[in-house]
């Protein structure tokens, strides 16, 4: 009688030796070894990841502020009330666009941040540097991200005129004039509303590749009118401009855009005034010439009458 065939598959027979077991492929053997060795990945704790995140954030901040946009702190009140700043107080932090002027030129009305040219900084007292390397490092980091005044002499002003234009002050209404037109400047701030007279200055033709800048706090701003003794020396090279001020980012209550109203867009032609004695010259000449003209007219009329009488 034939033996019944076992229901178990040959590979399931426990009595079979290893030589009798079917040989598995190498890929199956490697897969099994990996499954035996694989363990659940241990999740890194938040506190271990935090320093890495901070370093990445700092590197990105440095790259962004170096090439795209940078935060600056306003240290003075020369741009009131557009930008707030005063010694010992919390000045505005502004975001400065560093890309715009790679494609366009600065225009009238733009609020710009720039490195002071030699005429602006030669007579300035350099800031005192701390001897503590940690303090200097923290100051440099704070300056980089806009939470401390910069070490270098940077300024923020508004462009009033560009290369090739002639600027002067003032017309009879006390307005700044560019190329014979009185500017429309709604942003000008007067600390004393009862004294809204600007300091006059002689005509200055702005050299090519430079701009003429002034502060919105018109009577409390050391700008192109005074730096380097005024005149052409006060103009700022376009190459010195770091970027265009776009937004006030801090403090929260001051958040908002920065006006770039073009004062030349609606400028009005003006007839420049003359000293009073010069204005009186035509009137004096007219009065002086009236008497001889009247005398000659009477003589001519009398002579004509006598000639007409003789003919008759």
């Amino acid at each position: 009688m034939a033996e019944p065939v076992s229901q178990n598959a040959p590979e399931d027979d426990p009595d079979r030796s290893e030589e009798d077991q079917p040989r598995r492929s190498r890929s199956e053997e490697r897969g099994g070894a990996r499954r035996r060795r694989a363990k659940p990945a241990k999740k890194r704790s938040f506190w271990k990841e935090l320093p890495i995140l901070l370093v990445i954030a700092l590197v990105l901040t440095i790259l962004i502020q170096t090439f795209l946009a940078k935060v600056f702190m306003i240290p003075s009140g020369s741009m009131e009330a557009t930008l707030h700043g005063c010694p010992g107080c919390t000045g505005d932090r502004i975001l400065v666009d560093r890309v715009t002027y790679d494609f366009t030129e600065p225009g009238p009305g733009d609020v710009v941040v720039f490195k002071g040219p030699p005429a602006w900084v030669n007579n300035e007292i350099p800031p005192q540097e701390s001897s503590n390397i940690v303090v200097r490092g923290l100051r440099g980091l704070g300056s980089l991200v806009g939470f401390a005044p910069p070490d270098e002499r940077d300024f923020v002003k508004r462009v009033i005129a560009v290369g090739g234009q002639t600027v002067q002050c003032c017309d009879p209404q006390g307005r700044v004039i560019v190329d014979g037109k009185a500017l429309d400047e709604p942003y000008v701030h007067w600390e004393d509303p009862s004294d809204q007279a600007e300091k006059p200055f002689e005509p200055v033709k702005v050299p090519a590749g430079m701009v003429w800048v002034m502060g919105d706090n018109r009577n409390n701003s050391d700008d192109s009118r005074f730096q380097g003794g005024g005149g052409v020396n006060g103009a700022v090279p376009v190459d010195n401009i770091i970027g265009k001020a776009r937004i006030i980012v801090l403090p929260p209550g001051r958040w908002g855009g920065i006006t770039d109203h073009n004062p030349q867009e609606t400028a009005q032609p003006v007839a420049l005034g003359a000293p009073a004695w010069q204005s009186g010259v035509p009137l004096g000449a007219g009065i002086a010439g009236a008497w001889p003209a009247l005398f000659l007219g009477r003589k001519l009329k009398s002579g004509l009458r006598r000639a007409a009488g003789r003919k008759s």
Side-chain angles (χ1 to χ4, degrees):
M1 177 182 285
E3 293 287 336
V5 179
S6 172
Q7 296 295 325
N8 296 327
E11 60 271 17
D12 294 335
D13 188 351
D15 296 331
R16 297 183 63 179
S17 64
E18 287 188 5
E19 289 80 2
D20 297 332
Q21 293 286 345
R23 187 174 297 277
R24 293 183 297 176
S25 67
R26 290 183 179 179
S27 61
E28 290 175 336
E29 291 177 354
R30 287 196 297 267
R34 281 197 299 269
R35 283 195 296 272
R36 287 193 300 271
R37 290 194 303 266
K39 294 182 180 179
K42 189 175 181 181
K43 189 175 181 180
R44 186 178 296 165
S45 71
F46 169 77
W47 297 110
K48 289 184 178 179
E49 290 185 346
L50 182 60
I52 299 174
L53 294 175
L54 291 177
V55 170
I56 293 174
L58 181 60
V59 171
L60 289 176
T61 299
I62 293 173
L63 291 175
I64 290 171
Q65 296 214 64
T66 301
F67 299 105
L68 299 179
K70 184 174 181 179
V71 176
F72 283 84
M73 187 184 82
I74 305 301
S76 74
S78 68
M79 283 296 292
E80 293 281 2
T82 303
L83 300 176
H84 178 65
C86 60
C89 70
T90 303
D92 288 343
R93 270 65 172 178
I94 59 173
L95 185 67
V96 175
D97 173 6
R98 306 188 69 142
V99 179
T100 294
Y101 296 137
D102 290 337
F103 305 98
T104 61
E105 293 293 322
D110 290 357
V111 177
V112 296
V113 173
F114 57 92
K115 293 186 179 297
W120 287 57
V121 300
N122 282 345
N123 296 326
E124 294 285 340
I125 300 175
Q128 294 288 333
E129 284 288 345
S130 172
S131 59
N132 189 315
I133 188 171
V134 176
V135 173
R136 291 204 306 269
L138 291 175
R139 178 184 172 86
L141 180 60
S143 171
L144 183 64
V145 297
F147 289 99
D151 292 332
E152 64 271 17
R153 297 298 296 166
D154 294 339
F155 298 83
V156 56
K157 304 290 180 187
R158 190 181 298 270
V159 176
I160 300 300
V162 298
Q165 295 186 318
T166 299
V167 58
Q168 67 184 100
C169 186
C170 300
D171 75 343
Q173 284 73 47
R175 297 172 296 183
V176 175
I177 302 166
V178 173
D179 289 344
K181 295 182 178 181
L183 301 184
D184 171 33
E185 298 189 278
Y187 44 74
V188 170
H189 174 73
W190 306 103
E191 290 189 342
D192 183 0
S194 64
D195 180 17
Q196 298 189 8
E198 296 198 36
K199 297 177 177 66
F201 58 91
E202 296 298 317
V204 178
K205 185 171 183 179
V206 183
M210 307 186 85
V211 293
W212 182 271
V213 296
M214 298 171 69
D216 289 358
N217 192 357
R218 197 51 54 85
N219 286 341
N220 189 21
S221 173
D222 289 333
D223 46 42
S224 292
R225 297 169 293 174
F226 310 108
Q227 296 286 355
V232 174
N233 289 337
V236 176
V238 172
D239 290 343
N240 281 40
I241 295 178
I242 297 171
K244 180 177 180 178
R246 293 285 190 182
I247 302 171
I248 300 173
V249 294
L250 287 173
R254 293 273 299 164
W255 189 90
I258 298 172
T259 174
D260 58 356
H261 172 80
N262 184 348
Q264 297 186 20
E265 192 171 12
T266 54
Q268 301 175 352
V270 294
L272 300 182
W277 69 270
Q278 294 181 10
S279 300
V281 168
L283 178 61
I287 293 174
W291 291 106
L294 180 61
F295 177 77
L296 291 175
R298 287 177 177 177
K299 286 289 186 182
L300 179 60
K301 184 177 180 180
S302 176
L304 291 175
R305 284 179 177 177
R306 286 196 298 271
R310 285 196 297 270
K311 289 182 179 180
S312 61

